[in-house]
Amino acid sequence: MNKPPQFVFIGRDDLTNVQTWSGIPFHINKAFEAYSTAPFFIDELGYPNTPSIKVKNQIRGWFNTKNYYSFETAKFYADQINKKLDQLHLNYDFLFFIDFIEAIPFIKTKKPIIQYTDASKAHLKLLNYKTYQFTNKELQQVLELEQASFNNSDLVILTSNMAKNFIHKQYNLPNNKLSVLPFACHIFPEPIDYSVNGPWKQSSEHCNFLFIANEWKRKGGDQAIELIKSLNENNFPAKLTICGAYPNDSSKLEENYFDFYPFLHKDVEIEHQQIEKLMSNAHFLLLPTHADVTPLVLSEAFAFGLPIISSKVGAIDEIVGDSQGILFNPNFNIQQITHDIIKLFNSNKQYQQMRIACRKEFINKYHFKDWVRQLTEKCARTKKGI
């Protein structure tokens, strides 16, 4: 049996912290420990503190936008990484950069450089992410830095075909340098306390919707409230459980329609169990988001056989098909969506088939064991030059 390849995970922040990039590096590490070889880490690199960068970051901070991307910061990070690679004398097969492009143009290594992210920074600007609204001058700098980063990478792995196609067109990269691997389900280990069997109407006095998000406005919190009220006004008892984000105007939450839980941490056992309980007790995941790429919570819902009601933005339609939920345009007709949800839920057979389809999607596409296998195979082909 061949020995699994050795990865070095590289990131700006603490990659073992569940708060870093929505816990994605944290869970990838756990998956590697379970299904492959534990990675080495080069992380917690901090932020450049030269006078010019500090001033630029301070100005951007006033507008609640991302840190300043430049070749100056790229050299700062690359110097640290190159020194650590020299000092640690690591025996590795791949450098794996997790949502971290800045250092790559100046990395010195004979081993393959792999990137993994959901979208380029230039793409996020077009997708209306508030924290990536660069000025024209800053955008040009980002484009140049990303081009250099992609050119010096052996493989760039995106979480959707949408993001892959954008990078292929924007940066004129060959197809054999680009690949797609969706986020795996970040409920780890996989849930066991759930059911995809009915009958559903008898299981609850209400149809239970679950809204999990860390940003209220961008993720469509106000639209979620509007939809729940519309369902109840149409004599369809519905409740919304809100986890994480919270509206600025709490008067919107009428007590008999809504429950609220604070942000729950997956690395805290009691909170992890609470997340699983919320998923298990829900009938639908509700995410009327305004700006997204491939939200993690969708594959997590699949692990519980939980159908999804979401807006058709970003690459969500690559994740959720007609057999796994209902997608609607951001400027949706609330009466039409209300009608579609009531019709679906009142059909026990159709609803149960949807739950089964969601669970199958998790098993066939979003299980971490298969994710690690696919990543390893993609990287191995890169190393062989094929």
Side-chain angles (χ1 to χ4, degrees), residues 1-6 35-37 93 376-377 380 383-384:
M1 185 175 182
N2 293 333
K3 181 181 178 182
Q6 182 65 60
Y35 303 119
S36 184
T37 300
D93 298 292
T376 302
E377 290 177 355
K383 192 173 183 182
K384 294 173 184 176

Side-chain angles (χ1 to χ4, degrees), residues 53 82 369:
I53 293 178
N82 289 329
K369 184 176 182 179

Side-chain angles (χ1 to χ4, degrees), residues 339-365:
H339 173 268
D340 291 346
I341 292 173
I342 294 174
K343 181 179 178 182
L344 169 61
F345 193 70
N346 283 338
S347 170
N348 279 346
K349 182 178 179 180
Q350 184 182 1
Y351 177 73
Q352 185 173 337
Q353 288 174 339
M354 188 169 282
R355 288 192 71 103
I356 293 170
C358 288
R359 176 64 185 182
K360 284 183 177 179
E361 195 75 356
F362 161 70
I363 294 171
N364 296 334
K365 192 173 179 180

